[in-house]
């Protein structure tokens, strides 16, 4: 394994037979540019299969985001949607999907718009990894294409679509900084500031990912510049943070600033966050992919075919320190720390390249890459095909709901949603917002996080804290009187809702409240009940 830096020029050697004439430096061997491009297209086509064959993928937050996009697009034209919801646009570090998907929805349906956006996220991350590698090494390399099997990961299953878009943008941002590093500073700072603002509107954590990469890059430059005056090097190092200054007024002007005190640090889960980089559904698939990649890397390093950029060490040190220090909840956003390793994995891939000197190595790399990606895509496709049974059933249940209804979501199992296979059910009730213009209690309408708001008098009947839905037991005790420990949005629910979705129940489970609930539809792991309203008081 060799360590290289794009900042150190290759020393020319005299050409044989021509004393004094410098021969061109010997460039590392790799796939030709057109073959890298062809392999990129083939990998992208393969990774797109689960998305294109599942218009409603079983991702946790995905359908909730999609429902909000539908509200944005239909609000002026749908009286039921307008009765329940309105938009409050403000400076929010979480609105990229709100800006892009409704525009796509103008020329297609909302489900196709969501597919296009998801594939755009994939293209940005894979393309950003490839471009950053080009900026660091000065030539195109095939190794960053290993990013494709990592596009499906445990963080993606959560459905954090704004953050996922931001990962790709952060990779391009650091690539632009590397390309412009030795150009006049105004261009570099201006381009970086534009990226920072765009990343802010993707997700605050995405801007942080770029900050980690840029800090590592400038630490590497600081080390590479030994021999030059220290004061000048330190001034350049500190000045690299200037493009991040716009975040300060943006954040202070944002309602998100009101959530700045909602931070929780947890020591547990740090190892799990690392596993999320390769884990999706089956542990043995993650172990297989990891073993193949690590084994190939060790073999290449032993044969001095693996080149690691000098950025790698500061990147791992900075990212590791930030990861250990990060709280689990930041600005009321959960899994803040566990999102970081997935993003850093793509930066790590960008900081490596392989010398594919032999034809067998080049062909072998392409074959192994396609096989690894096929295994990962096959894993996702098999599980999603199985989970599509609940998707079909849930859409059938939504057909039983009257338009403009009020829907309460409750859990039969407080641990529901912890299994990756259950993630698609967590926010599935939001389908009723798209198909039936309904009010759904779990729709994302949190001040400081989303632009969606709920009109009075319905605002007190929905979750505005992004919390866990009530359990059935909690509904039973608040059927006729409010909660004893303070008002809850499900208090006196028979008066305020038309339907109740009970999630994470078993098929054939008994009706929890036969006086107030009438079973309308039963699917795998969920039940839909129509609320029997209290009798009108005698006149």
């Amino acid at each position: 394994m060799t360590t290289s830096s794009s900042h150190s020029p290759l020393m020319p050697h005299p050409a044989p037979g021509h004393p004094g004439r410098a021969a061109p430096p010997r460039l590392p061997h790799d796939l030709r540019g057109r073959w890298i491009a062809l392999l990129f297209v083939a990998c992208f086509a393969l990774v797109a299969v689960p998305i294109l064959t599942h218009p409603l993928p079983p991702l946790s937050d995905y359908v909730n985001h999609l429902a909000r996009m539908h509200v944005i697009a239909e609000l002026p034209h749908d009286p039921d949607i307008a009765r329940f919801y309105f938009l409050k646009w403000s400076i929010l570090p979480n609105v990229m999907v709100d800006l892009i998907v409704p525009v796509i929805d103008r020329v297609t349906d909302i489900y196709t718009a969501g597919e296009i956006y998801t594939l755009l996220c994939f293209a940005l991350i894979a393309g950003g990894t490839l471009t950053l590698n080009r900026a660091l090494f000065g030539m195109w390399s095939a190794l960053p294409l290993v990013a494709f099997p990592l596009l499906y990961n445990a963080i993606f299953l959560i459905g954090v679509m704004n953050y996922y878009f931001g990962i790709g943008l952060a990779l391009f941002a650091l690539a632009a900084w590397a390309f412009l590093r030795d150009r006049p500073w105004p261009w570099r700072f201006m381009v970086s500031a534009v990226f920072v603002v765009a990343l802010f509107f993707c997700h605050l954590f995405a801007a942080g990912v770029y900050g980690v990469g840029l800090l590592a890059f400038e630490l590497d430059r600081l080390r590479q510049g030994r021999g030059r005056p220290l004061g000048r090097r330190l001034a350049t190092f500190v000045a690299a943070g200037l493009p991040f200054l716009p975040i300060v007024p943006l954040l202070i002007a944002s309602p998100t600033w009101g959530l700045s005190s909602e931070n929780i640090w947890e020591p547990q889960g740090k190892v799990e966050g690392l596993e999320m980089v390769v884990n999706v559904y089956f542990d043995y698939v993650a172990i297989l992919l990891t073993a193949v990649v690590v084994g190939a890397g060790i073999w290449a390093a032993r044969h001095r075919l693996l080149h690691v950029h000098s950025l790698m060490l500061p990147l791992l040190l900075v990212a590791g320190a930030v990861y250990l220090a990060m709280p689990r909840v930041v600005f009321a956003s959960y899994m803040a720390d566990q999102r970081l390793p997935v993003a850093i994995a793509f930066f790590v891939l960008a900081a490596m390249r392989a010398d594919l000197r032999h034809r067998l190595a080049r062909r072998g790399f392409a074959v192994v890459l396609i096989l690894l990606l096929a295994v990962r895509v096959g894993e996702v496709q098999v599980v999603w095909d199985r989970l599509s049974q609940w998707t079909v059933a849930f859409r059938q249940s939504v057909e039983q709901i009257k338009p403009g209804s009020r829907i309460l979501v409750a859990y039969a199992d407080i641990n529901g949603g912890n299994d990756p296979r259950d993630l698609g059910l967590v926010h599935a009730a939001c389908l009723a917002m798209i198909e039936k213009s309904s009010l759904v209690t779990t729709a994302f309408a949190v001040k400081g996080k989303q632009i969606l708001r709920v009109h009075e008098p319905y605002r007190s009947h929905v979750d505005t804290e992004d919390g866990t839905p009530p359990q059935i037991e909690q509904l039973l005790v608040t059927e006729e009187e409010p909660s004893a420990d303070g008002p809850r949005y499900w208090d006196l629910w028979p008066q305020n809702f038309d339907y109740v979705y009970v999630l994470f129940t078993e098929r054939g489970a008994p009706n929890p409240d036969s006086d107030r609930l009438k079973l309308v539809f039963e699917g795998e792991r969920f039940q839909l009940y129509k609320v029997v309203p209290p009798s009108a008081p005698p006149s």
Side-chain angles (χ1 to χ4, degrees):
M1 180 176 65
T2 60
T3 302
S4 61
S5 172
S6 60
H7 318 308
S8 301
L10 295 170
M11 298 301 295
H13 301 280
H18 298 277
R21 181 184 298 177
R26 183 181 182 183
L27 295 176
H29 287 67
D30 213 311
L31 294 178
R32 297 192 180 191
R34 64 174 178 269
W35 288 109
I36 293 176
L38 184 61
L39 199 53
F40 183 96
V41 172
C43 289
F44 185 79
L46 191 55
V47 83
V49 170
I51 303 298
L52 296 177
T53 54
H54 299 86
L56 194 63
L59 310 176
S60 178
D61 293 355
Y62 181 85
V63 67
N64 206 323
H65 290 308
L66 208 62
R68 188 173 70 257
M69 302 308 103
H70 176 76
V71 171
I72 294 173
E74 297 297 324
L75 191 58
H77 319 293
D78 189 320
D80 285 324
I81 287 288
R83 178 164 58 97
F84 295 131
Y85 298 108
F86 69 99
L87 303 178
K88 188 175 178 63
W89 290 95
S90 57
I91 300 174
L92 288 176
N94 194 28
V95 294
M96 189 57 70
V97 67
D98 303 65
L99 298 174
I100 295 177
V101 173
V103 175
I104 304 174
D105 185 45
R106 294 175 185 173
V107 295
T108 184
D109 63 271
I110 191 65
Y111 301 107
T112 303
E115 290 177 296
I116 293 172
Y117 177 85
T118 304
L119 293 178
L120 179 59
C121 291
F122 282 178
L124 273 175
I125 294 175
T129 306
L130 202 65
T131 304
L132 178 56
N133 181 269
R134 169 67 175 80
L136 295 176
F137 288 99
M139 60 179 295
W140 295 107
S141 174
L143 184 62
L145 296 176
V146 177
F148 276 102
L150 296 182
L151 289 173
Y152 289 105
N153 53 69
I155 293 298
F156 175 71
L157 295 185
I158 304 300
V160 284
M161 306 311 295
N162 283 301
Y163 178 67
Y164 225 59
F165 189 97
I167 292 175
L169 212 58
L171 288 160
F172 275 107
L174 189 57
W177 181 272
F179 277 126
L180 298 172
R181 184 58 178 80
D182 296 316
R183 305 287 178 87
W185 66 265
W187 287 103
R188 182 171 74 254
F189 279 55
M190 181 179 66
V191 170
S192 184
V194 170
F195 270 112
V196 166
V197 172
L199 285 165
F200 174 87
F201 287 108
C202 285
H203 203 286
L204 192 59
F205 299 165
V209 167
Y210 175 42
V212 168
L214 185 57
L215 176 57
F217 185 92
E218 286 303 314
L219 282 172
D220 183 44
R221 289 286 299 215
L222 190 64
R223 183 182 63 84
Q224 293 284 338
R226 285 176 298 185
R228 295 199 296 268
L230 179 60
R232 184 174 180 180
R233 284 190 292 138
L234 287 176
T236 303
F237 174 78
V238 173
L242 293 177
F244 287 84
L245 289 179
I247 286 184
V248 177
L250 286 173
L251 189 56
I252 293 176
S254 169
T256 303
W257 184 251
L259 305 174
S260 59
S261 62
E262 299 187 32
N263 308 303
I264 302 173
W265 192 87
E266 294 180 9
Q268 296 83 11
K270 296 292 184 181
V271 174
E272 182 184 358
L274 298 176
E275 295 174 348
M276 287 179 173
V277 176
V278 292
N279 269 343
V280 182
Y281 293 109
F282 302 125
D283 291 341
Y284 61 84
V285 173
I287 293 172
L288 172 65
L289 295 181
T290 303
V292 171
V293 172
V294 171
I298 293 174
W299 179 88
R302 290 186 61 183
H303 290 78
R304 301 181 64 81
L305 299 177
L306 184 64
H307 301 267
V308 178
H309 195 274
S310 56
L311 171 67
M312 180 71 79
L313 180 58
L315 176 64
L316 293 178
L317 291 176
V318 171
V322 171
Y323 182 55
L324 292 176
M326 275 191 73
R328 180 62 39 82
V329 177
V330 178
F331 284 91
S333 293
Y334 195 61
M335 298 179 67
D337 56 341
Q338 293 177 324
R339 303 184 197 200
L340 182 62
V342 168
I344 296 302
F346 296 108
F347 283 81
V348 167
L349 284 175
M352 295 188 294
R353 65 174 310 280
D355 192 344
L356 304 178
R357 186 170 303 277
H358 304 289
R359 179 180 299 179
L360 182 61
R362 294 193 290 273
R363 292 179 177 176
F365 173 82
V367 170
V368 170
L369 173 63
I370 294 297
L371 287 177
L372 288 177
L373 183 56
V375 169
R376 175 46 50 88
V377 169
E379 172 194 19
V380 174
Q381 186 74 13
V382 167
V383 175
W384 284 13
D385 283 346
R386 190 183 309 157
L387 295 181
S388 65
Q389 298 175 11
W390 74 254
T391 305
V392 173
F394 216 101
R395 297 189 77 163
Q396 290 173 347
S397 74
V398 170
E399 290 301 315
Q400 310 303 314
I401 295 173
K402 293 182 179 180
S405 296
R406 302 160 298 169
I407 300 170
L408 172 63
V409 178
Y411 281 5
D413 180 5
I414 189 61
N415 296 315
N418 290 339
D419 190 309
R421 295 166 184 80
D422 282 342
L423 290 175
L425 273 179
V426 174
H427 293 286
C430 290
L431 272 173
M433 296 171 64
I434 300 174
E435 302 293 342
K436 296 295 181 175
S437 305
S438 296
L439 177 77
V440 179
T441 56
T442 53
F444 289 146
V446 182
K447 182 180 180 181
K449 289 187 177 183
Q450 289 90 26
I451 63 171
L452 189 66
R453 294 290 183 274
V454 179
H455 283 298
E456 294 289 1
Y458 308 104
R459 187 177 307 164
S460 59
H461 302 153
V462 299
D463 180 12
T464 57
E465 303 295 333
D466 197 11
T468 302
Q471 291 181 264
I472 287 296
E473 292 79 4
Q474 292 174 287
L475 294 190
L476 297 181
V477 299
T478 58
E479 179 180 312
E480 297 180 353
E481 56 185 34
S483 301
D485 57 348
R488 298 289 187 269
Y489 66 86
W490 59 83
D491 287 347
L492 307 176
W493 55 270
Q495 303 176 22
N496 301 320
F497 295 97
D498 304 304
Y499 296 89
V500 174
Y501 266 115
V502 179
L503 305 183
F504 312 116
T505 186
E506 300 299 329
R507 185 179 289 275
N511 188 329
D513 188 352
S514 56
D515 291 336
R516 289 286 173 259
L517 296 174
K518 178 183 178 182
L519 183 64
V520 174
F521 193 96
E522 184 174 43
E524 194 69 31
R525 303 279 285 154
F526 76 91
Q527 294 171 323
L528 173 64
Y529 291 94
K530 182 175 177 57
V531 175
V532 179
S535 301
S539 55

